[in-house]
Amino acid sequence: MEKTSHALMVWLLTHMPGTCQTLSYAPAVFGRVLPPLPRHELEARTAFRMQRKADLRRNPKPMTFFIYESVLWTRFGGTQILKEQLSSLLEDSELPWMTIRVVPFEVETFPGAAENLGYAFGAVPELDTVERESSQGPEYLDAVSELTSYRHVFERTEASALSEADSRDMIRRVAGNL
């Protein structure tokens, strides 16, 4: 999905974007899976995540991440790992092809509140794909009606999110409060 798209947009409610995760944060996120993953599986998933991150940075494409404020406070792996992750997220937010915007707690309601979503823009709209993530694994959607619905979810999310500069300020504030 990522390799064939020309741009990505992701809405996250539970954890940092995979392509922004640090080597310490990623295994902590994978460690939340129940039943617990065997050590070799945890290491393999972490290695894959780091390779995917490196691949996407070698061949960057426009990426927009909408992150719900709770993600900034959730301490996968503990406070120190989260501080390092927030610092790395701030660095990533300065990349010219990456947009990071926070949806603050103050937003009274927002669409897509029950799931992490990824929207991959194809060469033409008919080739777009939505990935809906859950603890049971991903689900891929490409029906025209589903794509239309999720385009609206992202449009409303974009309207609710802080600007890039205000998002960076919020990330700094959260890191300073940890």
Side-chain angles (χ1 to χ4, degrees):
M1 188 170 100
E2 292 167 341
K3 288 183 180 181
T4 60
S5 66
H6 68 81
L8 295 168
M9 191 174 287
V10 181
W11 173 212
L12 295 139
L13 291 145
T14 57
H15 52 74
M16 298 289 173
T19 56
C20 296
Q21 291 178 10
T22 64
L23 187 56
S24 299
Y25 184 89
V29 171
F30 291 130
R32 72 179 165 75
V33 175
L34 293 175
L37 297 171
R39 182 181 182 91
H40 72 278
E41 180 70 19
L42 188 64
E43 291 170 356
R45 288 185 185 202
T46 301
F48 179 80
R49 167 93 13 114
M50 295 300 109
Q51 184 61 52
R52 180 174 147 238
K53 177 179 176 177
D55 290 347
L56 285 169
R57 287 161 192 264
R58 266 192 299 281
N59 300 301
K61 60 183 75 185
M63 294 184 190
T64 301
F65 298 108
F66 296 104
I67 303 171
Y68 190 48
E69 183 178 348
S70 63
V71 171
L72 304 178
W73 291 98
T74 303
R75 299 173 192 204
F76 287 111
T79 301
Q80 189 56 40
I81 287 174
L82 181 57
K83 283 182 178 182
E84 292 167 7
Q85 177 61 60
L86 291 173
S87 176
S88 179
L89 188 65
L90 283 168
E91 290 175 18
D92 288 345
S93 75
E94 299 289 346
L95 295 170
W97 44 270
M98 191 176 292
T99 301
I100 296 175
R101 295 184 55 200
V102 175
V103 177
F105 288 140
E106 287 78 27
V107 172
E108 291 192 17
T109 187
F110 52 85
E115 56 214 352
N116 290 337
L117 300 171
Y119 196 104
F121 295 88
V124 294
E126 294 79 12
L127 296 177
D128 291 359
T129 303
V130 170
E131 177 187 30
R132 202 166 44 191
E133 182 185 306
S134 75
S135 59
Q136 288 78 39
E139 177 183 14
Y140 298 95
L141 311 169
D142 59 8
V144 173
S145 62
E146 294 167 327
L147 294 173
T148 300
S149 175
Y150 283 106
R151 279 188 205 110
H152 289 296
V153 167
F154 278 100
E155 287 169 8
R156 290 184 55 208
T157 301
E158 187 169 22
S160 301
L162 299 173
S163 69
E164 289 181 75
D166 289 343
S167 294
R168 282 187 202 96
D169 289 344
M170 176 173 276
I171 295 166
R172 284 185 197 99
R173 276 195 312 274
V174 170
N177 285 321
L178 292 175

